[in-house]
PDB file of all heavy atoms in Angstrom:
ATOM      1  N   ALA X 258      11.565  -2.190 -14.949  1.00 94.00           N
ATOM      2  CA  ALA X 258      11.326  -2.974 -13.661  1.00 94.00           C
ATOM      3  C   ALA X 258      10.436  -4.171 -13.902  1.00 94.00           C
ATOM      4  O   ALA X 258       9.507  -4.212 -14.679  1.00 94.00           O
ATOM      5  CB  ALA X 258      10.689  -2.085 -12.632  1.00 94.00           C
ATOM      6  N   ASP X 259      10.824  -5.244 -13.168  1.00 93.00           N
ATOM      7  CA  ASP X 259       9.996  -6.462 -13.277  1.00 93.00           C
ATOM      8  C   ASP X 259       8.969  -6.473 -12.127  1.00 93.00           C
ATOM      9  O   ASP X 259       7.970  -7.106 -12.255  1.00 93.00           O
ATOM     10  CB  ASP X 259      10.915  -7.696 -13.130  1.00 93.00           C
ATOM     11  CG  ASP X 259      12.002  -7.719 -14.216  1.00 93.00           C
ATOM     12  OD1 ASP X 259      11.649  -7.886 -15.356  1.00 93.00           O
ATOM     13  OD2 ASP X 259      13.160  -7.564 -13.841  1.00 93.00           O
ATOM     14  N   LEU X 260       9.351  -5.843 -11.010  1.00 94.00           N
ATOM     15  CA  LEU X 260       8.488  -5.932  -9.882  1.00 94.00           C
ATOM     16  C   LEU X 260       8.602  -4.624  -9.044  1.00 94.00           C
ATOM     17  O   LEU X 260       9.650  -4.042  -8.881  1.00 94.00           O
ATOM     18  CB  LEU X 260       8.955  -7.067  -8.969  1.00 94.00           C
ATOM     19  CG  LEU X 260       8.258  -7.291  -7.652  1.00 94.00           C
ATOM     20  CD1 LEU X 260       6.885  -7.678  -7.874  1.00 94.00           C
ATOM     21  CD2 LEU X 260       8.985  -8.494  -6.926  1.00 94.00           C
ATOM     22  N   VAL X 261       7.449  -4.143  -8.602  1.00 95.00           N
ATOM     23  CA  VAL X 261       7.377  -2.954  -7.763  1.00 95.00           C
ATOM     24  C   VAL X 261       6.722  -3.434  -6.457  1.00 95.00           C
ATOM     25  O   VAL X 261       5.568  -3.991  -6.436  1.00 95.00           O
ATOM     26  CB  VAL X 261       6.514  -1.800  -8.366  1.00 95.00           C
ATOM     27  CG1 VAL X 261       6.361  -0.640  -7.395  1.00 95.00           C
ATOM     28  CG2 VAL X 261       7.213  -1.266  -9.648  1.00 95.00           C
ATOM     29  N   ILE X 262       7.404  -3.183  -5.359  1.00 95.00           N
ATOM     30  CA  ILE X 262       6.835  -3.519  -4.049  1.00 95.00           C
ATOM     31  C   ILE X 262       6.558  -2.240  -3.241  1.00 95.00           C
ATOM     32  O   ILE X 262       7.540  -1.472  -2.914  1.00 95.00           O
ATOM     33  CB  ILE X 262       7.874  -4.427  -3.232  1.00 95.00           C
ATOM     34  CG1 ILE X 262       8.272  -5.566  -4.130  1.00 95.00           C
ATOM     35  CG2 ILE X 262       7.170  -4.925  -1.968  1.00 95.00           C
ATOM     36  CD1 ILE X 262       9.291  -6.474  -3.393  1.00 95.00           C
ATOM     37  N   ALA X 263       5.252  -1.969  -2.919  1.00 95.00           N
ATOM     38  CA  ALA X 263       5.004  -0.669  -2.224  1.00 95.00           C
ATOM     39  C   ALA X 263       4.738  -0.960  -0.781  1.00 95.00           C
ATOM     40  O   ALA X 263       3.774  -1.643  -0.326  1.00 95.00           O
ATOM     41  CB  ALA X 263       3.691  -0.096  -2.858  1.00 95.00           C
ATOM     42  N   VAL X 264       5.716  -0.557   0.094  1.00 93.00           N
ATOM     43  CA  VAL X 264       5.642  -0.933   1.467  1.00 93.00           C
ATOM     44  C   VAL X 264       5.793   0.379   2.414  1.00 93.00           C
ATOM     45  O   VAL X 264       6.470   0.352   3.422  1.00 93.00           O
ATOM     46  CB  VAL X 264       6.696  -1.897   1.854  1.00 93.00           C
ATOM     47  CG1 VAL X 264       6.388  -3.298   1.366  1.00 93.00           C
ATOM     48  CG2 VAL X 264       8.124  -1.517   1.415  1.00 93.00           C
ATOM     49  N   THR X 265       5.220   1.508   1.908  1.00 93.00           N
ATOM     50  CA  THR X 265       5.208   2.615   2.689  1.00 93.00           C
ATOM     51  C   THR X 265       4.208   2.495   3.884  1.00 93.00           C
ATOM     52  O   THR X 265       3.429   1.520   3.862  1.00 93.00           O
ATOM     53  CB  THR X 265       4.808   3.967   1.972  1.00 93.00           C
ATOM     54  OG1 THR X 265       3.386   3.927   1.775  1.00 93.00           O
ATOM     55  CG2 THR X 265       5.470   4.021   0.596  1.00 93.00           C
ATOM     56  N   GLY X 266       4.224   3.384   4.817  1.00 91.00           N
ATOM     57  CA  GLY X 266       3.356   3.265   5.989  1.00 91.00           C
ATOM     58  C   GLY X 266       1.904   3.855   5.707  1.00 91.00           C
ATOM     59  O   GLY X 266       1.120   3.799   6.594  1.00 91.00           O
ATOM     60  N   HIS X 267       1.671   4.316   4.491  1.00 93.00           N
ATOM     61  CA  HIS X 267       0.349   4.867   4.196  1.00 93.00           C
ATOM     62  C   HIS X 267      -0.310   4.007   3.064  1.00 93.00           C
ATOM     63  O   HIS X 267       0.280   3.931   2.002  1.00 93.00           O
ATOM     64  CB  HIS X 267       0.478   6.305   3.783  1.00 93.00           C
ATOM     65  CG  HIS X 267       1.168   7.187   4.794  1.00 93.00           C
ATOM     66  ND1 HIS X 267       0.438   7.592   5.869  1.00 93.00           N
ATOM     67  CD2 HIS X 267       2.416   7.641   4.881  1.00 93.00           C
ATOM     68  CE1 HIS X 267       1.299   8.348   6.603  1.00 93.00           C
ATOM     69  NE2 HIS X 267       2.445   8.344   6.089  1.00 93.00           N
ATOM     70  N   ASP X 268      -1.470   3.617   3.287  1.00 94.00           N
ATOM     71  CA  ASP X 268      -2.219   2.739   2.357  1.00 94.00           C
ATOM     72  C   ASP X 268      -2.534   3.566   1.051  1.00 94.00           C
ATOM     73  O   ASP X 268      -2.417   2.986  -0.037  1.00 94.00           O
ATOM     74  CB  ASP X 268      -3.550   2.208   2.956  1.00 94.00           C
ATOM     75  CG  ASP X 268      -3.226   1.099   3.891  1.00 94.00           C
ATOM     76  OD1 ASP X 268      -2.133   0.518   3.844  1.00 94.00           O
ATOM     77  OD2 ASP X 268      -4.093   0.771   4.727  1.00 94.00           O
ATOM     78  N   GLU X 269      -2.911   4.764   1.164  1.00 95.00           N
ATOM     79  CA  GLU X 269      -3.209   5.573  -0.039  1.00 95.00           C
ATOM     80  C   GLU X 269      -2.037   5.660  -1.034  1.00 95.00           C
ATOM     81  O   GLU X 269      -2.047   5.667  -2.189  1.00 95.00           O
ATOM     82  CB  GLU X 269      -3.844   6.947   0.273  1.00 95.00           C
ATOM     83  CG  GLU X 269      -2.931   7.847   1.039  1.00 95.00           C
ATOM     84  CD  GLU X 269      -3.110   7.660   2.513  1.00 95.00           C
ATOM     85  OE1 GLU X 269      -3.437   6.638   3.031  1.00 95.00           O
ATOM     86  OE2 GLU X 269      -2.856   8.714   3.286  1.00 95.00           O
TER      87      GLU X 269
END
Side-chain angles (χ1 to χ4, degrees):
Chain X
D259 302 294
L260 178 63
V261 174
I262 309 178
V264 288
T265 78
H267 301 282
D268 285 341
E269 61 273 27

